[in-house]
Structure formats: C-alpha cells, structure tokens
Amino acid sequence: DAKTTQPNSMESNEEEPVHLPCNHSTISGTDYIHWYRQLPSQGPEYVIHGLTSNVNNRMASLAIAEDRKSSTLILHRATLRDAAVYYCILVNTNAGKSTFGDGTTLTVKP
Amino acid sequence: DTEVTQTPKHLVMGMTNKKSLKCEQHMGHRAMYWYKQKAKKPPELMFVYSYEKLSINESVPSRFSPECPNSSLLNLHLHALQPEDSALYLCASSQVGGIEKLFFGSGTQLSVL
C-alpha cells in the first residue's frame, strides 16, 4: 500500500485558517486521497476526498499538488470543535480498503 | 439515518470468555468493516465484507471470528483473547466498497483481563 506522511501535531488559533499537509510520494494513478478526522472518544469521520482537482465541501477544502505527491487539507476558520486527529489516507480503487497513517493531532487554542 | 450503531460500548472479558461485538447500519451499504485501534494509534483494518461475503482478512488471529448475517448486521465473535487484544474496536460501512467514504460507529472499548 502507498504510504502517507503527516506531521505528528499542529497548533492553530481559533477562527484562523489551518493548513494540514500530507506527503504521498508513492501515490499511484488509481489512488484517491481521503481525509478523515477523529474527535476524542469517537470513531473517525469522513472530511473530504479527491483524485486530481482541488475539492471543496462544507467542512473543508482539499488542495492537491499538480504531481499528486502531496496534498493539503484546509480548514478555513478553525473552531474549538475542530480539535481532533486528522488522517490522510490513500484509497486504491482496486484494493477496496482504506489504510490509515499516523495522522496529525490538531490543537485549537482559544 | 446515517448512523452506524455498535454495541456494547464497553466490554470487559476474561481470557476464557466468549463474547460478541455487534454493529448495525440502515443506510443500504453493502460493504462493512472491522478496525482495531490501540490507544494513540491509527485504526488498523481487520476484516472487510462485501455483499455479505468476507473479501479481506488482514491476517487476523482465529480468536477473532467475523460474521455478516445480512446486509445490515456485522458481528465480531471473540474467544480466548489475550490482554494485548484490549483496544477500541470500530465498525464501519460504505457503499459497495473501494473509494466510497466510510461511516464509522463510535466503537466498543474492549478490556481483556
């Protein structure tokens, strides 16, 4: 399985934008980039996914590098409720499974 | 209804006990998953069911036995577990499988004494 690399932790101030990076230099052409987050005492929650183009939804934006070897999850205005572990995952269309990397723990300061 | 419901939320069992974890979804999803998560680690995939058939077993020890009696239910039968099997067990579901997004339950926190 292709691997992702994320910083262990990041901090942000409330109401400021947050850019969470992910490196996936061994990504294949059939790998989609998914992001999940896990709040304390909960199961992971889907955030966003994309293949080649940048994507936006009500939760976040996903910026994908032109060579697809990296991507960035953007939270436009962080709130205290966004404090969580954020996982960047490569999902292969053929494998039918999602393998989680180590994730980034986001701390949001008031 | 976009929920995946797992029961029980907490379970304590001895190494000689037999117990079962249950997972239910009513979103019409045809792929269901079991993940294991140790404290401060990412979830690790254990099993995948697609159309009620086991499609992926990530070399899980036989003391864990999955079962998918119908498209809405997923069980994980536990027998002769070890203390190192203590973890959060997460169930997830998705449309068909592949690249579709996963919906997770809140998990069962299992302690093996």
Side-chain angles (χ1 to χ4, degrees), chain A residues 32 34 36 38 43-44 46 87 91 93 95-98 100-102, chain B residues 33 35 37 41-43 45 56 58 90 98-99 101-102 104-106:
Chain A
Y32 280 72
H34 284 227
Y36 286 79
Q38 188 171 20
Y46 168 83
Y87 294 103
V91 182
T93 52
K97 62 180 184 180
S98 300
F100 285 71
D102 290 335
Chain B
Y33 310 75
Y35 282 83
Q37 186 174 28
K41 294 292 187 183
L45 182 66
I56 295 176
E58 294 285 86
L90 293 161
I99 65 164
K101 63 183 181 183
L102 299 173
F104 281 86
S106 295

Side-chain angles (χ1 to χ4, degrees), chain A:
Chain A
D1 296 336
K3 188 173 167 55
T4 62
T5 304
Q6 299 176 252
N8 286 336
S9 61
M10 292 186 66
E11 281 191 355
S12 171
N13 293 318
E14 197 175 10
E15 297 190 6
E16 289 186 355
V18 182
H19 290 233
L20 297 166
C22 181
N23 287 321
H24 29 79
S25 57
T26 59
I27 192 170
S28 74
T30 52
D31 285 336
Y32 280 72
I33 303 158
H34 284 227
W35 283 81
Y36 286 79
R37 70 180 186 181
Q38 188 171 20
L39 280 66
S41 303
Q42 294 189 25
E45 173 190 29
Y46 168 83
V47 178
I48 200 167
H49 79 277
L51 182 61
T52 56
S53 304
N54 294 344
V55 184
N56 300 298
N57 67 21
R58 64 174 181 82
M59 290 181 71
S61 296
L62 176 60
I64 301 172
E66 198 168 330
D67 63 6
R68 302 211 320 129
K69 293 184 186 299
S70 65
S71 60
T72 302
L73 180 71
I74 302 164
L75 307 179
H76 296 286
R77 288 180 74 239
T79 70
L80 297 178
R81 287 174 293 182
D82 291 323
V85 180
Y86 286 79
Y87 294 103
C88 168
I89 302 158
L90 299 183
V91 182
N92 188 275
T93 52
N94 300 318
K97 62 180 184 180
S98 300
T99 302
F100 285 71
D102 290 335
T104 296
T105 300
L106 175 66
T107 302
V108 180
K109 296 183 289 184

Side-chain angles (χ1 to χ4, degrees), chain B residues 81-102:
Chain B
L81 294 194
Q82 303 297 309
E84 58 264 29
D85 296 321
S86 298
L88 180 68
Y89 288 84
L90 293 161
C91 172
S93 70
S94 72
Q95 296 279 5
V96 183
I99 65 164
E100 300 297 331
K101 63 183 181 183
L102 299 173

Side-chain angles (χ1 to χ4, degrees), chain B residues 1-110:
Chain B
D1 182 2
T2 57
E3 277 195 4
V4 174
T5 304
Q6 290 189 243
T7 55
K9 293 198 181 305
H10 301 275
L11 179 62
V12 179
M13 61 186 290
M15 289 188 285
T16 58
N17 292 157
K18 285 186 181 180
K19 296 286 185 184
S20 297
L21 309 185
K22 299 194 174 194
C23 175
E24 191 168 0
Q25 57 87 16
H26 296 287
M27 293 177 278
H29 291 168
R30 301 306 296 273
M32 296 187 79
Y33 310 75
W34 281 115
Y35 282 83
K36 172 183 176 179
Q37 186 174 28
K38 302 283 273 186
K40 299 194 182 301
K41 294 292 187 183
E44 296 176 20
L45 182 66
M46 301 174 71
F47 302 105
V48 180
Y49 272 83
S50 181
Y51 294 98
E52 295 98 69
K53 292 192 187 321
L54 184 64
S55 58
I56 295 176
N57 177 341
E58 294 285 86
S59 303
V60 179
S62 60
R63 57 186 184 269
F64 295 91
S65 176
E67 177 196 22
C68 190
N70 61 56
S71 60
S72 299
L73 294 174
L74 185 66
N75 299 320
L76 186 63
H77 303 297
L78 313 173
H79 173 55
L81 294 194
Q82 303 297 309
E84 58 264 29
D85 296 321
S86 298
L88 180 68
Y89 288 84
L90 293 161
C91 172
S93 70
S94 72
Q95 296 279 5
V96 183
I99 65 164
E100 300 297 331
K101 63 183 181 183
L102 299 173
F103 290 78
F104 281 86
S106 295
T108 294
Q109 187 65 54
L110 174 68

